[in-house]
Amino acid sequence: MNIFISGGTGFIGSYLRIMLLQEGHLLTVVTRSPDAYESETARNQQFVSWDDDLVAEMEQADAVINLAGSSIFGQRWNEEVKERIYSSRIESTRQLVQAIRAAEHPPEVMVSASGANYYEAKGDEVLDESAEAGDNFLARVCVDWEKEARKVTEAGVRLAIPRIGVVLQEDGGALDQMLTPFKLFVGGPIGSGDQYFPWIHMHDLCRGLLFATRETSLKGPFNLNAPNPVTMRTFADELGDQLDRPSLFRVPEFALQLVIGEAATLITESLRMQPKKLQQHGFEFQYEHLTEALADIL
């Protein structure tokens, strides 16, 4: 396929591009600085600017995968950071949707990312795609992000919205933040430890995104996380076992909030998500259990 990707140079997008290129797809990656990737341009991959003619690009695309958005990790959230997190997602999605709707021959499908924090935290309650939205900052971002993406259906384009769990890979995201204390022998569960942690291995995440471009009956929101979420205490114990380090030092929620502010909700809220819709459509996870996922990554 000819696949147009936004956010293709980020944490998830970089891994996704490798998978897609290995499968022989033709990629067009939109970025703020296409010149920075001149050395990566090849026969089956090109980089374009957000200021280029995106309508023309949509005429050539079979599928659009929208992952654009400022990183939510690695910084304390002040009002400026929160505005960047919000606007980077909403504005980029709006620009893509406008380009698709203006195309005479639009892509067949748009896969537009959302997040696990769409949902209201419900403790032990299982959350499938019918669960209600939350009311904190990240939930509001996800609600507005999805609302903007839904406008693409007015052009007759199939829309799939992956609500992505906490992505596990060693060189970024939540796991990268958690490895250091364990390596220093001061690791342990964050918050109460009883909250559910909706994780997914990076490889399965990328496979799920590609699956959504191909599975023509998959529409609307779907949970993209492993089918066996675990509590934070279990996650910390498993991580300690893989690193041969103790998991003894619990990090209180208030301490985490002092360091990273509202971003703490990413890890301290309980989201027992189940990828019900994805499994109903026949998707098979390669990493269903945390032990095998961490063993592969670490």
Side-chain angles (χ1 to χ4, degrees), residues 182 234-247 291:
F182 274 93
T234 299
F235 183 86
D237 288 344
E238 290 276 6
L239 186 55
D241 287 345
Q242 290 293 333
L243 296 172
D244 196 23
R245 298 289 193 274
S247 177
T291 300

Side-chain angles (χ1 to χ4, degrees), residues 15-17 19 44 51 133 140 145 165 175 177 190 200 220 244 252 260 265 267 271 284 287:
Y15 280 92
L16 178 64
R17 281 194 293 119
M19 178 178 290
N44 56 341
D51 296 325
R140 292 191 294 272
W145 200 6
L175 184 58
Q177 305 278 310
I190 297 171
I200 184 168
D244 196 23
I260 62 175
T265 61
I267 298 171
L271 297 169
E284 296 182 0
Y287 298 94

Side-chain angles (χ1 to χ4, degrees), residues 156-226:
V157 175
R158 177 171 65 87
L159 173 66
I161 303 175
R163 291 173 178 162
I164 298 172
V166 181
V167 185
L168 300 186
Q169 191 54 254
E170 190 176 15
D171 57 351
L175 184 58
D176 186 45
Q177 305 278 310
M178 298 174 72
L179 284 174
T180 299
F182 274 93
K183 290 178 178 179
L184 297 174
F185 291 87
V186 291
I190 297 171
S192 69
D194 297 327
Q195 73 273 27
Y196 274 86
F197 190 72
W199 63 274
I200 184 168
H201 190 296
M202 177 67 85
H203 184 67
D204 275 342
L205 169 68
C206 294
R207 290 179 58 244
L209 294 172
L210 182 56
F211 181 84
T213 67
R214 293 169 166 164
E215 183 59 42
T216 56
S217 61
L218 181 58
K219 299 177 182 179
F222 67 96
N223 291 344
L224 188 49
N225 66 292

Side-chain angles (χ1 to χ4, degrees), residues 6-26:
S6 68
T9 60
F11 174 48
I12 295 172
S14 296
Y15 280 92
L16 178 64
R17 281 194 293 119
I18 292 171
M19 178 178 290
L20 296 177
L21 290 171
Q22 288 174 342
E23 288 206 357
H25 299 290
L26 305 178

Side-chain angles (χ1 to χ4, degrees), residues 55-283:
V55 176
E57 298 296 342
M58 295 306 162
E59 295 279 0
Q60 304 298 318
D62 299 310
V64 173
I65 301 178
N66 175 30
L67 302 171
S70 175
S71 175
I72 55 181
F73 287 104
Q75 56 194 331
R76 181 178 173 82
W77 290 2
N78 54 29
E79 289 307 311
E80 180 182 351
V81 170
K82 288 170 68 175
E83 171 58 27
R84 187 163 63 246
I85 289 171
Y86 181 90
S87 62
S88 63
R89 286 159 173 77
I90 306 306
E91 292 174 8
S92 58
T93 301
R94 180 178 297 147
Q95 190 171 347
L96 290 179
V97 168
Q98 288 174 346
I100 291 171
R101 293 179 63 180
E104 185 176 349
H105 302 288
E108 295 178 6
V109 59
M110 179 178 185
V111 180
S112 189
S114 183
N117 285 86
Y118 169 92
Y119 295 111
E120 181 180 352
K122 291 287 187 72
D124 291 346
E125 183 178 327
V126 175
L127 305 174
D128 64 19
E129 290 82 1
S130 65
E132 59 189 17
D135 192 34
N136 59 26
F137 168 70
L138 278 180
R140 292 191 294 272
V141 170
C142 290
V143 168
D144 289 352
W145 200 6
E146 294 184 13
K147 182 179 178 181
E148 204 64 46
R150 282 192 174 93
K151 296 175 184 177
V152 81
T153 61
E154 297 171 14
V157 175
R158 177 171 65 87
L159 173 66
I161 303 175
R163 291 173 178 162
I164 298 172
V166 181
V167 185
L168 300 186
Q169 191 54 254
E170 190 176 15
D171 57 351
L175 184 58
D176 186 45
Q177 305 278 310
M178 298 174 72
L179 284 174
T180 299
F182 274 93
K183 290 178 178 179
L184 297 174
F185 291 87
V186 291
I190 297 171
S192 69
D194 297 327
Q195 73 273 27
Y196 274 86
F197 190 72
W199 63 274
I200 184 168
H201 190 296
M202 177 67 85
H203 184 67
D204 275 342
L205 169 68
C206 294
R207 290 179 58 244
L209 294 172
L210 182 56
F211 181 84
T213 67
R214 293 169 166 164
E215 183 59 42
T216 56
S217 61
L218 181 58
K219 299 177 182 179
F222 67 96
N223 291 344
L224 188 49
N225 66 292
N228 296 292
V230 298
T231 64
M232 174 55 71
R233 183 174 291 106
T234 299
F235 183 86
D237 288 344
E238 290 276 6
L239 186 55
D241 287 345
Q242 290 293 333
L243 296 172
D244 196 23
R245 298 289 193 274
S247 177
L248 303 174
F249 299 90
R250 188 175 73 85
V251 180
E253 184 173 341
F254 78 86
L256 191 65
Q257 288 174 338
L258 285 174
V259 176
I260 62 175
E262 284 184 80
T265 61
L266 290 163
I267 298 171
T268 58
E269 288 197 334
S270 184
L271 297 169
R272 193 177 184 179
M273 288 168 57
Q274 193 66 29
K276 179 180 176 181
K277 196 169 178 180
L278 199 54
Q279 290 179 307
Q280 287 175 337
H281 282 80
F283 182 78

